[in-house]
Amino acid sequence: MAHSYIKRLDFPLIFSSLILAFCVWVTAKQVETNFETITIPVRIHVNDELCEFRIAPEEMQIKVEYPSRLRSYVTNDCFEVALDVSGAHRSAGIEEFKDIPYSISLDDVVRDSNVPLGIRKVMFVSSNRIQVQAKLHSADIALRLRKTGRPETGYELDGELEPLDVDQFRLVGPPSQLRELINMEGLAVLRCDPIDLSGRREAENLFTNIIVPEGFKLLRKDREQRILTPEEHRILVRVPIIEEVTT
């Protein structure tokens, strides 16, 4: 009886059903959603060449979602935090590093070009705050003053032109270019627009413009730290004109 029942079984159909069930199970496992916490690096993507930086932390943790079939792609190099510090020079320290807090979002987390789109960033596991410390690449300046014309007949220049409060200025720029302007005393030498002495007959203080090379910025140390606009690149110069002494 049992032998007769076994004979009636359709083994090819049973085998096909098992194969189909197995394929369905494998497919389900492949599309099954998994979650994992990974540790990703923090890197500067948009730099500010005027500053030197310290960043903490250098790594952050995020949770990612992915289908099982992409498990081999899930590594700590899948994503990274891409910092934009291009405006840091507005808040950076002059002599010392200054803290600049950054709050980042998932929009600042970018994927590696080789990572499939099926791996998705979900949330930060660690804090989303990054402490950026920035210090300007800067140097005190010395001015190269120039003059044109001559005082009125009977008057003469009594000594050299004297810049006033020049020690309150600092030049800010990329370090490699900044070094090219620095003299033996460690000062960045800048030229000024020439001062016209034509027809002058007394000592006075005159304004001249400091010529700031392209790619550099000027700031004053005696005020709240602020990068100066081109209209503020002015300094007073003492012009010592006296009456000629005749014998």
Side-chain angles (χ1 to χ4, degrees):
M1 186 79 170
H3 178 72
S4 171
Y5 174 75
I6 293 175
K7 287 183 65 176
R8 290 200 302 269
L9 290 178
D10 192 340
F11 284 104
L13 179 60
I14 295 173
F15 182 75
S16 298
S17 299
L18 292 175
I19 292 296
L20 178 60
F22 177 77
C23 292
V24 170
W25 178 80
V26 170
T27 302
K29 290 297 291 183
Q30 286 183 332
V31 298
E32 179 184 357
T33 298
N34 292 339
F35 294 90
E36 187 163 337
T37 297
I38 61 175
T39 301
I40 61 176
V42 177
R43 296 191 176 105
I44 293 176
H45 273 223
V46 185
N47 201 2
D48 187 333
E49 293 184 347
L50 302 180
C51 300
E52 177 182 356
F53 292 100
R54 296 173 180 169
I55 298 174
E58 296 181 349
E59 295 179 331
M60 303 186 76
Q61 288 188 320
I62 64 169
K63 180 176 288 187
V64 295
E65 176 187 11
Y66 61 94
S68 295
R69 61 186 173 81
L70 298 180
R71 176 64 188 87
S72 61
Y73 291 93
V74 179
T75 68
N76 290 337
D77 296 321
C78 282
F79 295 90
E80 65 182 27
V81 177
L83 280 184
D84 180 349
V85 295
S86 55
H89 64 268
R90 302 185 186 94
S91 305
I94 302 176
E95 303 289 352
E96 298 178 349
F97 284 92
K98 184 177 179 181
D99 291 339
I100 307 176
Y102 275 74
S103 293
I104 61 174
S105 69
L106 285 178
D107 291 337
D108 300 308
V109 177
V110 299
R111 74 177 62 243
D112 184 87
S113 59
N114 296 320
V115 174
L117 295 177
I119 301 174
R120 296 179 293 274
K121 52 197 176 183
V122 177
M123 61 180 289
F124 287 102
V125 177
S126 57
S127 169
N128 69 328
R129 291 184 174 273
I130 293 179
Q131 195 68 36
V132 176
Q133 292 184 317
K135 182 177 70 171
L136 293 168
H137 296 296
S138 66
D140 290 319
I141 69 171
L143 296 180
R144 185 178 298 163
L145 299 174
R146 299 177 294 163
K147 54 186 182 290
T148 60
R150 296 180 58 84
E152 186 175 308
T153 303
Y155 294 85
E156 63 182 355
L157 193 62
D158 183 29
E160 298 295 328
L161 302 178
E162 179 187 357
L164 304 177
D165 295 330
V166 67
D167 60 323
Q168 298 301 322
F169 287 88
R170 285 184 80 87
L171 183 67
V172 178
S176 59
Q177 299 177 39
L178 193 61
R179 284 193 293 269
E180 295 176 1
L181 299 177
I182 293 178
N183 62 13
M184 297 295 292
E185 287 75 38
L187 303 175
V189 181
L190 300 178
R191 295 185 303 126
C192 293
D193 289 337
I195 294 176
D196 188 7
L197 304 181
S198 300
R200 299 191 182 279
R201 53 188 298 173
E202 61 183 1
E204 55 187 321
N205 295 338
L206 300 175
F207 279 107
T208 184
N209 292 317
I210 301 173
I211 300 175
V212 179
E214 185 176 353
F216 291 82
K217 296 184 182 296
L218 199 65
L219 61 81
R220 286 192 66 122
K221 297 187 293 183
D222 61 343
R223 303 178 182 178
E224 180 182 353
Q225 181 183 329
R226 182 171 60 88
I227 300 294
L228 301 179
T229 65
E231 292 74 21
E232 297 173 302
H233 294 176
R234 297 200 306 167
I235 192 169
L236 272 174
V237 175
R238 177 69 176 168
V239 182
I241 294 177
I242 61 171
E243 189 173 358
E244 288 182 347
V245 178
T246 58
T247 303

